[in-house]
């Protein structure tokens, strides 16, 4: 198995010279079957995955996680592993027990397990040294413990012939076990489970009807109810109920925490947002034309209302 599983991209801020697409190109030139980018974040994960997919190269999704001061690479095996990695990367500090609690679906290896790759060729070492000085705010020739030492260029074909057999088997195990892939294209909303046990469609209608009476009185004017029904029908037709409910849920948390917000964007023109309390601008009073943004033709192009 020929693979490079410890590459850093430019998303390791001021700590790598390589772009995701360059990593894929270099891996193909080296005859690799797989590659992994182990930035301390997932900012470039989709970009490198797509570049690898287009080139026929397997990309193992991974990231570097600092656990109680020690750097570990976490390689994603499946959907659960990706969710756990996202949780860990969102924490300001990761303790060992937290890493264990969110370790399902991940393969852990110490970050120094394989040589780190941070630039393309040996002749790029000088430029990387300049980048290190910028990162540490030190003079180029000044020694500093924060500066990285040693060769960090992309391995040549001869490197794979000298690799330890045990390490090679471990690399092959990781590549074979990590089957996670991003599901790109189309819309993929987080799931919203209504607290009353109903469906998102029913719960959104319930909230909207409660809101329209709160905003316009009981009973509300018939033309208001007619517009609200039209909007809910379009939202239901294109399957955006959970999109609206997730926004409502986030802002309800903000309200309870005393966090103010202001609403902008195309969906703010809708009566549904006004009735849910997402927006405080009455679209009827100000004659806002919601159909400009919330209509079937726009939704068919997967153009989400802001």
């Amino acid at each position: 198995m020929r693979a490079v599983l410890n590459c850093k991209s430019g998303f390791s801020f001021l700590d790598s010279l390589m772009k995701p697409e360059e990593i894929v190109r270099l891996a193909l030139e080296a005859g690799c079957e797989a590659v992994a980018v182990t930035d301390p974040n997932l900012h470039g994960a989709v970009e490198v995955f797509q570049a690898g997919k287009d080139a026929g190269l397997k990309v193992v999704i991974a990231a570097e996680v600092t656990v109680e001061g020690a750097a570990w690479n976490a390689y994603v095996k499946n959907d659960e592993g990706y969710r756990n990695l996202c949780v860990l990367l969102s924490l300001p500090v990761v303790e060992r027990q937290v890493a264990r609690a969110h370790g399902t679906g991940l393969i852990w290896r110490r970050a120094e397990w394989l040589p780190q790759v941070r630039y393309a060729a040996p002749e790029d070492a000088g430029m990387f040294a300049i980048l290190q000085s910028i990162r540490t705010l030190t003079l180029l020739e000044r020694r500093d413990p924060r500066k990285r030492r040693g060769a960090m260029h992309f391995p040549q074909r001869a490197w794979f012939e000298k690799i330890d057999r045990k390490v090679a088997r471990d690399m092959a195990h990781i590549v074979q076990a990590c089957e996670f892939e991003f599901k790109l294209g189309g819309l993929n909303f987080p799931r919203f489970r209504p607290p009353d046990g109903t469906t998102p469609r029913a719960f959104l209608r319930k909230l909207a009807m409660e809101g329209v009476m709160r905003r316009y009185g009981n009973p509300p004017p018939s033309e208001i109810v007619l517009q609200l029904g039209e909007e809910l029908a379009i939202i239901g037709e294109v399957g955006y109920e959970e999109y609206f409910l997730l926004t409502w849920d986030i802002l309800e948390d903000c309200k309870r925490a005393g966090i103010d917000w202001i609403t902008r964007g195309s969906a703010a023109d809708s009566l549904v947002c006004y009735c849910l309390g997402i927006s405080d601008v009455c679209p009827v009073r100000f004659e806002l034309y919601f159909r400009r943004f919330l209509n079937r033709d726009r939704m068919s192009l997967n153009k989400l209302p802001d």
Side-chain angles (χ1 to χ4, degrees), residues 36 40 43 71 78 99 113 127-128 157 167 200 222 238 268 270 275:
H43 301 337
N78 48 41
W113 163 69
M127 183 60 70
F128 184 69
R157 288 177 177 265
V167 174
S222 59
V238 296
S270 71
C275 291

Side-chain angles (χ1 to χ4, degrees), residues 35-258:
V35 70
V37 174
T38 55
D39 294 321
N41 53 61
L42 290 167
H43 301 337
V46 172
E47 190 174 338
V48 70
F49 172 80
Q50 188 63 68
K53 195 82 169 177
D54 294 342
L57 177 72
K58 180 171 182 176
V59 173
V60 176
I61 303 302
E64 183 181 295
V65 181
T66 300
V67 182
E68 295 186 356
W72 291 79
N73 287 342
Y75 298 91
V76 178
K77 294 170 62 176
N78 48 41
D79 289 354
E80 185 177 6
Y82 183 72
R83 289 193 296 269
N84 281 327
L85 182 56
C86 288
V87 170
L88 294 171
L89 291 175
S90 70
L91 300 175
V93 177
V94 179
E95 297 178 349
R96 191 175 297 274
Q97 61 267 30
V98 175
R100 281 197 293 264
H102 294 280
T104 306
L106 297 172
I107 297 177
W108 296 87
R109 295 292 184 271
R110 288 299 297 265
E112 64 270 19
W113 163 69
L114 285 174
Q116 297 181 29
V117 179
R118 295 180 181 270
Y119 47 88
E123 55 267 28
D124 295 326
M127 183 60 70
F128 184 69
I130 295 173
L131 191 68
Q132 290 286 288
S133 292
I134 296 172
R135 181 174 65 84
T136 58
L137 298 178
T138 58
L139 296 175
L140 182 60
E141 301 301 327
R142 180 179 175 182
R143 297 178 66 86
D144 189 285
R146 294 171 296 172
K147 291 183 177 180
R148 304 187 185 281
R149 300 179 182 179
M152 296 187 178
H153 59 82
F154 204 92
Q156 305 299 312
R157 288 177 177 265
W159 179 83
F160 297 98
E161 300 172 1
K162 301 176 183 177
I163 194 170
D164 182 83
R165 289 186 179 181
K166 184 178 179 180
V167 174
R169 286 195 298 268
D170 196 22
M171 290 171 58
H173 163 70
I174 291 173
V175 172
Q176 292 165 6
C178 293
E179 295 295 335
F180 173 79
E181 292 191 354
F182 289 110
K183 300 173 180 64
L184 303 178
L187 301 173
N188 188 14
F189 297 127
R191 300 270 68 87
F192 180 89
R193 294 177 176 82
D196 61 359
T198 61
T199 64
R201 177 168 300 186
F203 189 65
L204 179 62
R205 178 171 291 276
K206 174 187 173 184
L207 292 177
M209 294 308 298
E210 291 173 352
V212 77
M213 290 187 287
R214 184 172 60 253
R215 295 288 198 183
Y216 297 100
N218 188 9
S222 59
E223 64 271 19
I224 298 292
V225 176
L226 184 65
Q227 178 175 328
L228 185 65
E230 181 182 352
E231 291 187 22
L232 287 171
I234 295 176
I235 292 169
E237 184 177 325
V238 296
Y240 286 179
E241 291 101 336
E242 289 177 289
Y243 179 45
F244 279 80
L245 287 171
L246 286 164
T247 304
W248 167 81
D249 193 38
I250 291 170
L251 295 182
E252 286 295 300
D253 281 344
C254 290
K255 186 186 300 181
R256 286 188 287 269

Side-chain angles (χ1 to χ4, degrees), residues 263-285:
T263 308
R264 61 159 298 282
S266 54
D269 292 349
S270 71
L271 188 59
V272 170
C273 282
Y274 184 57
C275 291
L276 264 60
I278 293 173
S279 169
D280 281 323
V281 178
C282 174
V284 178
R285 176 187 174 190

